Amino acid sequence: PRRRWWPLLARYALLVVVAAVVLFPVWTAVMVATKPLAELGSLNVLVPGSVDVGSFGDAFDSARLGRYLFNSLVVSVAIATLQVTTSILAGYVFAFVPFRGRSVVFAAVVATLMIPTEVSIVVNLETVQDLGWIDTYQALIVPFAAFGFGTFLLRQAFLSIPVELREAAAVDGYGHWGFLRKVAVPLIRPSISALAVFSFLLAWNQYLWPLLVTNDADLRTVQIGLKSLAFENATELNLVMAATLLAALPILVVLIAFERQLERRLTAGAVKG
């Protein structure tokens, strides 16, 4: 019946409007990045026309964006790997290994989530200075090797595994390490993937900490590079937008690569009806 079309039509119209609002900044960045500098002051800057992709090459050459992207990629992958590894081990222990004071220790781990970064940043900076790690990859990576949220997330995921499965694995001769590798980790793979993406995005978007522990431009990350580029080339908007799009490209690749795992994690608690 025609009267049933209107709710569906209104829903799709709302989705189109929301999508347009969300994608408008992206469209603006693409148009500005691909327009010659002389055309940026015109009113038709957002209308497709002449295309000049030279600003992307200039971002790598003059702005040293390639070095900044490499540093961010190394740091983000290392942090995500360490956080996933430590969270898997800690989450499994809190879920399957009984020991005295386990609840207290887990509460202390969760309590770290309520501590603002600004509270510990001075102490962490002094520690890094005492270790002689200024202008090193260790300073950018090691302070973030463990993640309280990751431990909490994977502990909850491990708790969803039936205890009977652990008992059956023990009967078959699997110890904790064998059960973790061959049974538990494959079962919570969506949660691990979600944590890996979340850790990567947090590490990629860091600005304050890399700014504090690095003075050498060769160790600066992409967020600092974008800030410096925007400050030094404030009039070359096409160059700034091109660098911004290139910096966002790895995030897009990660989200697309882990889309299925993220979808499985987000719908894990859904009930079919």
Side-chain angles (χ1 to χ4, degrees), residues 34 73-74 85 103 108 134-135 143 180 229 231 258 261:
T34 56
L73 186 62
V74 170
T85 302
S103 300
I134 297 297
D135 284 332
L180 174 65
L229 179 63
F231 179 77
F258 287 89
Q261 298 292 338

Side-chain angles (χ1 to χ4, degrees), residues 88-89 92 96-97 158 161 165-187 189:
I88 288 175
L89 297 176
Y92 180 86
F96 287 106
V97 181
F158 281 126
I161 299 176
L165 194 59
R166 172 69 189 102
E167 295 173 352
V171 171
D172 290 338
Y174 285 101
H176 285 295
W177 182 245
F179 178 72
L180 174 65
R181 288 191 305 111
K182 298 185 178 181
V183 181
V185 168
L187 287 176
R189 190 170 298 167

Side-chain angles (χ1 to χ4, degrees), residues 68 206-207 210-211 214 220-229:
Y68 297 141
Q206 283 190 59
Y207 176 79
L211 182 65
T214 57
R220 290 288 172 90
T221 55
V222 69
Q223 303 303 330
I224 303 176
L226 290 177
K227 185 67 174 181
S228 301
L229 179 63

Side-chain angles (χ1 to χ4, degrees), residues 10-269:
R11 182 183 304 174
Y12 277 102
L14 178 61
L15 291 175
V16 169
V17 172
V18 173
V21 172
V22 172
L23 294 177
F24 180 75
V26 180
W27 175 260
T28 302
V30 172
M31 288 295 100
V32 173
T34 56
K35 287 293 181 68
L37 186 60
E39 296 184 12
L40 296 183
S42 61
L43 296 178
N44 62 346
V45 64
L46 299 182
V47 180
S50 57
V51 177
D52 180 14
V53 296
S55 55
F56 291 93
D58 293 339
F60 274 95
D61 296 334
S62 61
R64 303 187 64 193
L65 187 64
R67 181 64 188 182
Y68 297 141
L69 287 172
F70 173 78
N71 290 337
S72 288
L73 186 62
V74 170
V75 171
S76 300
V77 171
I79 289 177
T81 302
L82 287 173
Q83 289 186 352
V84 168
T85 302
T86 56
S87 297
I88 288 175
L89 297 176
Y92 180 86
V93 168
F94 286 125
F96 287 106
V97 181
F99 60 91
R100 182 176 299 178
R102 182 174 64 174
S103 300
V104 176
V105 176
F106 180 70
V109 171
V110 175
T112 61
L113 300 178
M114 296 181 286
I115 301 176
T117 305
E118 293 77 10
V119 173
S120 59
I121 197 168
V122 174
V123 177
N124 290 338
L125 180 59
E126 291 178 350
T127 303
V128 168
Q129 289 175 338
D130 293 339
L131 292 172
W133 284 359
I134 297 297
D135 284 332
T136 63
Y137 282 114
Q138 297 96 295
L140 295 169
I141 297 172
V142 174
F144 305 96
F147 192 21
F149 174 75
T151 300
F152 171 79
L153 177 66
L154 296 192
R155 184 249 187 186
Q156 298 304 112
F158 281 126
L159 288 177
S160 65
I161 299 176
V163 179
E164 293 78 9
L165 194 59
R166 172 69 189 102
E167 295 173 352
V171 171
D172 290 338
Y174 285 101
H176 285 295
W177 182 245
F179 178 72
L180 174 65
R181 288 191 305 111
K182 298 185 178 181
V183 181
V185 168
L187 287 176
I188 66 163
R189 190 170 298 167
S191 297
I192 295 175
S193 300
L195 175 61
V197 172
F198 188 63
S199 299
F200 182 89
L201 295 181
L202 285 180
W204 185 269
N205 291 322
Q206 283 190 59
Y207 176 79
L208 180 58
W209 180 254
L211 182 65
L212 292 175
V213 299
T214 57
N215 299 312
D216 188 355
D218 289 336
L219 288 170
R220 290 288 172 90
T221 55
V222 69
Q223 303 303 330
I224 303 176
L226 290 177
K227 185 67 174 181
S228 301
L229 179 63
F231 179 77
E232 297 172 1
N233 303 273
T235 58
E236 301 182 51
L237 291 180
N238 56 344
L239 180 63
V240 176
M241 287 300 177
T244 303
L245 290 174
L246 290 173
L249 186 60
I251 297 177
L252 180 62
V253 172
V254 169
L255 291 176
I256 293 176
F258 287 89
E259 177 185 6
R260 180 172 299 179
Q261 298 292 338
L262 289 174
E263 183 180 354
R264 288 178 58 188
R265 173 58 188 168
L266 293 174
T267 59

